Amino acid sequence: MSSLHVIFGTGPAGSSLAEELLRQGQQVRCVNRSGKADLPATVEVVAGDLLNQAQINELCQGAKVVYHCANVHYAEQTKIMPQFQQTIMQATAAEGARLVVLDTLYVYGSSQGRPLTEATPFAPHTRKGRMRAELVETYLAAHRAGTLEVAIGHAADFFGPRVLNSTLGDRVFPMLLQHKPAQLLGNIDLPHSFSYIGDVARGLALLGQHPAAVGQAWHLPVAPPLTQRAMLQTIGQLLGYPVRSIALPKMAIRAFGLMDSFMREFVEMFYQYTEPQIVDAQAIERELGLAATPLEQALQATIAWYRGQQTKQKAAA
């Protein structure tokens, strides 16, 4: 028997999660600001304001699981994300549903190259990292208090279908498909973990339904850590021709930030590209049985999606 799964946010993660839950035969309701999304017709897509408690309470009625995949512009995160948390927690608790939260690695701060596990202490040194750590602690405190059933999934940098605003996003795949240099970040010869968006979706769906998932934060599956240079070479092998790249240093991001608010806010997070960032996701594989999609398979799906987007753009021109 299917049950209602409510997803807040229809970005790459929320949309991929909706499709994953559909494949599992679940009833899915997606909530975003517009009430529109490029999703199968069997997904109910409705408009909702995450700052309107009464409205969010209504949209969560009947839910067995609520997923928080919503986000806001970088410049607004430290102000708005705590408000989203309170609204979603209250609505989920009132319904007696399980809450699954998608989170970043910002909570850890600088790793100094050490592998990150679920036991790594939080040591954020940025505004967004401190905010994220406080949110996680609030979620887990609510679970310990028995007021809310919670599971949290931490993801590394995304790549995959629908993923544009990422290190392996629209500055990489479209450029390579046009035989132009990809734009990478920082030191491209340091190991870096990446999360395939399909694995993020499968992981969140699992956290929403597995009896042993609640009460803790998990690292969602990641590809084996590669340097950005090695990742690009792998993409080139799949494309069948040599590829090139340029690496943007921190000073370039600062310069872009003079004209772009996202880049201005991104500067404080640039440490992620000046040291190894290695995520250990063995726990979710060992304890819940979920492993990462083989890298070449994930990259092939990503390339196919970007090629499809280019075909659509040419047809519309």
Side-chain angles (χ1 to χ4, degrees), residues 10 27 34 49 70 87 92-93 96 108 125 146 185 191-192 194 204 209 221 243 245 252 288 296 300:
T10 54
Q27 179 186 356
S34 68
D49 179 0
T87 308
T92 307
Y108 296 115
H125 52 84
L185 295 176
H192 195 92
F194 291 93
L204 294 174
Q209 299 171 81
V243 295
S245 67
L288 305 185
E296 290 194 5
Q300 288 281 28

Side-chain angles (χ1 to χ4, degrees), residues 292-313:
T293 299
L295 179 60
E296 290 194 5
Q297 179 182 335
L299 287 173
Q300 288 281 28
T302 306
I303 292 167
W305 183 84
Y306 271 100
R307 278 183 169 143
Q309 293 302 109
Q310 289 191 343
T311 300
K312 288 179 183 179
Q313 291 169 4

Side-chain angles (χ1 to χ4, degrees), residues 68 101-105 107 132-133 135-136 152-156 204 220:
H68 181 2
V101 180
L102 173 61
D103 202 9
T104 67
L105 301 177
V107 295
R132 292 278 183 175
L135 296 187
V136 170
I152 298 168
H154 292 288
L204 294 174
L220 299 174

Side-chain angles (χ1 to χ4, degrees), residues 55-298:
Q55 187 179 74
I56 299 309
N57 288 350
E58 182 178 352
L59 291 172
C60 287
Q61 286 183 4
K64 182 178 181 181
V65 187
V66 174
Y67 302 85
H68 181 2
C69 300
N71 211 338
V72 294
H73 191 280
Y74 243 28
E76 299 178 320
Q77 283 191 2
T78 54
K79 176 184 177 182
I80 302 297
M81 293 302 285
Q83 297 179 54
F84 282 5
Q85 178 188 55
Q86 292 304 312
T87 308
I88 292 174
M89 285 179 65
Q90 183 173 323
T92 307
E95 203 59 31
R98 177 181 298 191
L99 176 60
V100 176
V101 180
L102 173 61
D103 202 9
T104 67
L105 301 177
Y106 300 173
V107 295
Y108 296 115
S110 173
S111 69
Q112 303 298 316
R114 294 183 294 272
L116 298 170
T117 74
E118 287 87 344
T120 300
F122 290 175
H125 52 84
T126 63
R127 292 180 301 111
K128 286 180 277 295
R130 287 190 290 270
M131 176 268 294
R132 292 278 183 175
E134 290 172 2
L135 296 187
V136 170
E137 290 164 1
T138 299
Y139 286 125
L140 295 179
H143 183 90
R144 289 192 298 269
T147 59
L148 185 63
E149 188 176 82
V150 176
I152 298 168
H154 292 288
D157 283 343
F158 292 167
F159 74 98
R162 295 191 177 94
V163 176
L164 301 174
N165 191 19
S166 172
T167 313
L168 283 183
D170 62 2
R171 291 183 175 86
V172 173
F173 291 96
M175 307 302 285
L176 297 181
L177 288 171
Q178 298 174 64
H179 296 262
K180 296 178 180 179
Q183 295 179 13
L184 304 177
L185 295 176
N187 186 339
I188 66 173
D189 292 309
L190 297 173
H192 195 92
S193 292
F194 291 93
S195 295
Y196 175 52
I197 198 66
D199 293 337
V200 172
R202 292 191 302 133
L204 294 174
L206 182 65
L207 296 186
Q209 299 171 81
H210 198 293
V214 295
Q216 58 186 299
W218 302 84
H219 288 171
L220 299 174
V222 290
L226 290 177
T227 67
Q228 291 182 69
R229 190 187 302 277
M231 182 69 81
L232 207 69
Q233 290 170 348
T234 302
I235 297 170
Q237 291 168 3
L238 296 174
L239 291 173
Y241 51 79
V243 295
R244 297 171 293 143
S245 67
I246 57 173
L248 300 177
K250 189 173 183 178
M251 66 178 67
I253 303 301
R254 287 189 184 278
F256 292 148
L258 297 174
M259 300 170 289
D260 184 293
S261 60
F262 174 84
M263 287 296 189
R264 187 160 55 248
E265 288 290 326
F266 182 68
V267 170
E268 72 167 355
M269 311 310 302
F270 200 78
Y271 70 89
Q272 299 173 101
Y273 307 100
T274 60
E275 64 180 25
Q277 187 176 81
I278 302 169
V279 177
D280 182 331
Q282 294 181 74
I284 198 167
E285 181 174 3
R286 181 179 63 249
E287 299 179 33
L288 305 185
L290 184 64
T293 299
L295 179 60
E296 290 194 5
Q297 179 182 335

